[in-house]
Amino acid sequence: MRAAAPGALLVLIMAQPNMATGMMPYYRHAWTLAPLLITAIFAAYLFALTPTLAVLGTPASRRDWWWRIGVGSAFAIAADAAMAVAHSPWPVVAARLCAGLSVGLVTGSLAGLILERQGERGRTAMAVATVLGSALGTLAAAVIAQYLPAPGVTVYLAHAALLAVVAAAVLADRAARPAGAARATVSTSVSREPRIAGYLSGIAAWVSAGLVVALLPSYGAELLGTKNLALLALPVTLYLTTAWLAQRLLPPDRLPAEPLAAQAMIIAGVVLAAAVSWLPSLTLLLCGGVVAGFGQGIAYRSGLRIVSAATPPDQHARAASRFAGVAYACAAVATLGFGAIATLGSMRDAVLAAAAVLVLVAAATAVVRRRATARAADSLPVQQISTTA
């Protein structure tokens, strides 16, 4: 139980900002939201999250975890309350800001706690909890909004109550794991990857997530001519669920050049989604979500493992926060850009722009990895000479 509780809390924390995703077509229709305003609402979360991660989300020691977890959980409950009373975009913006503060405060601390209690498996567990929470939040809100009464209230009150219980359980158990029990081993292939490749992999993962979460439901509504919220949330849910399954089913380092292979899958999925504007088909849109989601899960896990590979155990929380902060900041800027393109042009233009951005990130990753390989090859003879001498 004590090993699972931090992961469960991270799932609930990550679910909160994604519950609005499943209901965004409803909000867009009720409040006549332009695509730019939709992406601004989404980006408000990321703009609150990024500085919080940078300033407060990097605890210097284990002792600093607990107040961050407590305050961050309180902000998530406040976000639920704001969403429950929202009758215009402005409470939603306030809720998104609270959600950003919440995730920013708890990410690093929960990462440290999960790694302490689960060891090397904790890297995958943290990535899994992130995408699983996002998927569950999206799907639960959409289903409740479509089929149950009080769509904008019930799901948020239930989430707030459950989150309060799990947060209390985590805060009540602060015992440290015995020294050495959580010692992690890192595969040689990951330790050889340049750290910047890890950051680029995380950026690709979250830029694609920003596109899918912020715009894909409205994109589907526009092209497929449906207002069914559960149906419109399905591509996003499949994207997030596939990202989770990819991390569970495909062991690390099974793909050659894993960061690049994952980004190639993301690009392929986005291209499939773009094709829906010429060939309107729910099946095609779902396929795009599945392919991009598989790449997102692997890219996020790969980036996190690369960035934290050479980090001492007591610095894992700080490394995880820095990694998340860079990825989220880039996702916020890119998502606002996609929203502006969709407002000035069309949803199709925004999706094509996202594909172009992701191709550039993949190209930068390839260049970084090639240069790192060349430097390693150049240094080998020098090492051999010095050893002989």
Side-chain angles (χ1 to χ4, degrees), residues 191 208 274:
S191 62
S208 73

Side-chain angles (χ1 to χ4, degrees), residues 10-387:
L10 185 57
V11 168
L12 291 170
I13 292 288
M14 294 306 303
Q16 203 293 322
N18 287 280
M19 288 191 286
T21 300
M23 297 175 63
M24 193 53 72
Y26 164 77
Y27 292 138
R28 183 189 183 193
H29 176 74
W31 300 333
T32 318
L33 301 178
L36 181 58
L37 185 53
I38 294 173
T39 52
I41 290 172
F42 177 82
Y45 158 71
L46 295 173
F47 282 126
L49 167 60
T50 303
T52 305
L53 276 170
V55 178
L56 297 173
T58 53
S61 66
R62 188 182 190 280
R63 183 180 58 187
D64 297 325
W65 293 350
W66 307 108
W67 74 263
R68 287 171 168 82
I69 293 173
V71 175
S73 298
F75 271 117
I77 293 171
D80 284 330
M83 291 299 298
V85 301
H87 294 289
S88 71
W90 308 117
V92 176
V93 172
R96 301 290 289 176
L97 293 173
C98 287
L101 292 170
S102 169
V103 176
L105 281 166
V106 306
T107 295
S109 297
L110 285 178
L113 190 56
I114 291 169
L115 287 165
E116 177 189 82
R117 294 184 179 178
Q118 299 191 31
E120 175 64 17
R121 292 187 302 111
R123 302 181 197 277
T124 297
M126 196 185 88
V128 166
T130 300
V131 295
L132 180 59
S134 302
L136 290 176
T138 301
L139 181 61
V143 171
I144 289 174
Q146 184 64 38
Y147 299 112
L148 296 180
V153 178
T154 306
V155 66
Y156 291 108
L157 295 183
H159 177 268
L162 184 59
L163 190 148
V165 171
V166 176
V170 171
L171 292 170
D173 181 9
R174 303 189 186 188
R177 192 181 179 111
R183 187 175 299 159
T185 58
V186 180
S187 66
T188 304
S189 61
V190 172
S191 62
R192 288 174 179 170
E193 291 278 1
R195 185 167 295 191
I196 187 64
Y199 282 110
L200 288 169
S201 188
I203 288 168
W206 282 100
V207 166
S208 73
L211 172 75
V212 171
V213 171
L215 288 181
L216 207 61
S218 298
Y219 180 68
E222 183 177 290
L223 295 176
L224 302 176
T226 179
K227 295 181 180 179
N228 187 299
L229 296 179
L231 192 63
L232 293 172
L234 193 55
V236 181
T237 305
L238 280 177
Y239 169 87
L240 296 168
T241 303
T242 306
W244 167 59
L245 288 174
Q247 297 174 28
R248 300 293 295 176
L249 299 178
L250 187 68
D253 301 327
R254 288 296 176 89
L255 293 176
E258 187 170 278
L260 278 177
Q263 291 179 51
M265 285 186 280
I266 293 173
I267 294 167
V270 172
V271 169
L272 282 174
V276 176
S277 62
W278 288 282
L279 300 169
S281 166
L282 177 62
T283 301
L284 190 59
L285 189 61
L286 295 179
C287 288
V290 168
V291 174
F294 196 96
Q296 199 274 351
I298 301 303
Y300 180 75
R301 182 186 67 186
S302 176
L304 179 61
R305 293 179 74 239
I306 291 168
V307 169
S308 63
T311 305
D314 61 347
Q315 294 297 309
H316 280 157
R318 296 176 69 85
S321 291
R322 284 194 296 267
F323 172 75
V326 170
Y328 293 155
C330 292
V333 174
T335 302
L336 276 178
F338 301 151
I341 292 170
T343 301
L344 297 174
S346 67
M347 291 283 190
R348 180 179 67 186
D349 295 335
V351 177
L352 291 173
V357 169
L358 291 166
V359 167
L360 290 176
V361 175
T365 305
V367 170
V368 167
R369 295 179 80 250
R370 187 179 299 114
R371 288 180 177 176
T373 301
R375 284 196 298 269
D378 291 341
S379 66
L380 186 58
V382 175
Q383 292 175 353
Q384 292 174 340
I385 292 171
S386 61
T387 302

